[in-house]
Amino acid sequence: MNTCRYKSFAIVQILCLLLLSTTVLAQGYAVKKIVIDAGHGGKDPGAIGSKCKEKDIALKVALLTGKYIEDNLDDVEVIYTRKKDVYPTLNERAELANKVKADLFISIHCNSVPSSKAYGTETLVLGTNRSKSNLRVEQQENSVITLEDNYEETYKGFDPNSDESYIIFNHIHNVYLEQSTTLATLVQEQYAKRVGRHDRKVQQACLWVLSETSMPAILTELGFISNPEEQRFLMSQQGQEYMASAIFRAIRDYKQIVESKQNLTQPKSQTAVQSSTNDQNSKSVENDTSTGLVYKLQILSSATILEANDPSIKGVEQVGYYKDGDWYKYTIGNSPNINDVINLKNKYKKKYKGSFVIAFLNGKRIPISEAKKILEANSK
């Protein structure tokens, strides 16, 4: 192997290591490790119904969900944030998932409002494209922070009871939004079609525990324990088994989809989600006229085009996007030298968690394998 070819091969190796280090849906991605988080616990009861506490139902459904996974998916390891009535902090839950390099993070909760009429299930993903009604859920789920000592310091001055504090989430960019939405949609479909629960849809919300996880993550609300009928259902063994089974089936289907590189087709009433690495179906770059082989750093996805002064990209140079299905994939950098993009990844590793390198040829995204062949051919 001559020197030029060796350098090209080394560059490709670096790129491959970058791709393998992240849990985006890339070639070879597999769901092998899942963290199941039973919400609340210990000194934090969560929502309180007339006959039950959220923490108890969440734990029972979490343990049942894990059992279904262990019994039916032999190649998947299940890790629990808690298996008894204890209180891990929100940071500890996310840190555990990151430490074990989980492929999925699923947090299980129950809903509650002052009215006894509200009912139904909803599943939340991290996002700022949220309705005002989600502020109640955000404050309710984030409020457990205040139970911790020195929470102002631990959570960087974030006050879960202050509307203004949620501005910080404008600077959180979830590159796993598509994958999380895919899983959340499957969960909601199982609740509605297999268990017969009212579907309150997939929602975006600013939840601390989801913002700190470096993998696709969802928080699912099993129902309202403030509603007597739903409380009765969720307290029953049958109800808990049905809901846990629904979550398991959604995980099973998600695993099959991503590992077989299929696309999820959703009902027209919901956002269509397409794998960010479905290279054969990727669309042309919208705002870039680059020619030749170039590399970029994909930093986030959005359902809408972002304004230039949007906090998520404001002040960042060389921002571009390309359209993939119904999603706008945002990138930074534009260089024929992979090392330039690697440097960008290191520079923005805190701002854009989970960012990853992609390749384009003459304005169209190409598979990494094709980029490798071009490099090798040019080095001869």
Side-chain angles (χ1 to χ4, degrees), residues 283-296:
K283 302 297 181 65
S284 299
V285 176
E286 294 285 327
N287 64 342
D288 184 16
T289 58
S290 302
T291 59
L293 177 64
V294 295
Y295 297 93
K296 300 172 184 287

Side-chain angles (χ1 to χ4, degrees), residues 77-306:
E77 178 184 0
V78 177
I79 299 163
Y80 303 90
T81 58
R82 69 182 182 98
K83 297 181 75 173
K84 55 185 179 180
D85 188 21
V86 295
Y87 173 68
T89 67
L90 296 188
N91 267 354
E92 288 170 344
R93 297 169 199 257
E95 286 172 359
L96 171 64
N98 294 336
K99 181 179 179 181
V100 302
K101 298 181 180 179
D103 301 301
L104 288 177
F105 177 86
I106 298 167
S107 190
I108 298 174
H109 291 252
C110 298
N111 227 327
S112 179
V113 292
S115 171
S116 62
K117 296 180 179 180
Y119 68 103
T121 64
E122 60 187 18
T123 300
L124 301 118
V125 297
L126 178 68
T128 56
N129 184 24
R130 71 202 207 279
S131 65
K132 291 182 179 179
S133 63
N134 282 345
L135 179 61
R136 174 193 59 79
V137 178
E138 293 166 348
Q139 291 181 329
Q140 184 170 292
E141 299 300 350
N142 289 327
S143 65
V144 298
I145 289 171
T146 60
L147 297 177
E148 302 172 28
D149 295 333
N150 301 319
Y151 77 87
E152 297 94 340
E153 181 178 347
T154 303
Y155 293 93
K156 309 167 189 176
F158 175 66
D159 180 358
N161 297 313
S162 168
D163 293 2
E164 290 77 12
S165 283
Y166 287 88
I167 294 173
I168 70 166
F169 282 95
N170 286 332
H171 301 284
I172 295 172
H173 317 286
N174 185 14
V175 296
Y176 306 105
L177 178 59
E178 295 167 75
Q179 299 95 305
S180 300
T181 304
T182 297
L183 176 59
T185 300
L186 290 169
V187 169
Q188 286 300 121
E189 288 179 350
Q190 287 290 336
Y191 287 159
K193 295 178 181 178
R194 298 295 294 271
V195 193
R197 312 313 292 172
H198 173 59
D199 184 8
R200 294 171 62 93
K201 308 299 182 183
V202 175
Q203 307 286 342
Q204 289 190 19
C206 299
L207 300 173
W208 188 277
V209 72
L210 298 185
S211 76
E212 297 299 300
T213 51
S214 299
M215 72 281 305
I218 64 171
L219 186 151
T220 188
E221 301 276 6
L222 302 172
F224 287 79
I225 58 175
S226 51
N227 179 300
E229 182 180 342
E230 288 205 336
Q231 178 182 237
R232 194 159 43 246
F233 173 77
L234 292 173
M235 287 180 65
S236 70
Q237 180 68 25
Q238 183 184 64
Q240 293 164 9
E241 289 176 352
Y242 279 1
M243 298 305 281
S245 179
I247 299 171
F248 157 71
R249 285 194 298 267
I251 293 169
R252 178 201 60 196
D253 293 347
Y254 174 87
K255 176 178 167 65
Q256 291 174 351
I257 288 168
V258 300
E259 292 183 357
S260 62
K261 303 172 188 176
Q262 297 176 18
N263 290 329
L264 173 67
T265 302
Q266 299 178 8
K268 292 183 179 179
S269 61
Q270 298 185 11
T271 303
V273 178
Q274 186 176 19
S275 169
S276 63
T277 55
N278 186 4
D279 296 301
Q280 293 180 350
N281 294 327
S282 295
K283 302 297 181 65
S284 299
V285 176
E286 294 285 327
N287 64 342
D288 184 16
T289 58
S290 302
T291 59
L293 177 64
V294 295
Y295 297 93
K296 300 172 184 287
L297 187 69
Q298 185 159 314
I299 55 174
L300 59 90
S301 299
S302 175
T304 59
I305 296 177
L306 301 177

Side-chain angles (χ1 to χ4, degrees), residues 44-61:
D44 171 28
I48 300 177
S50 61
K51 297 181 179 180
C52 69
K53 297 176 181 177
E54 177 184 3
K55 67 175 184 177
D56 298 325
I57 292 176
L59 180 58
K60 290 177 180 178
V61 174

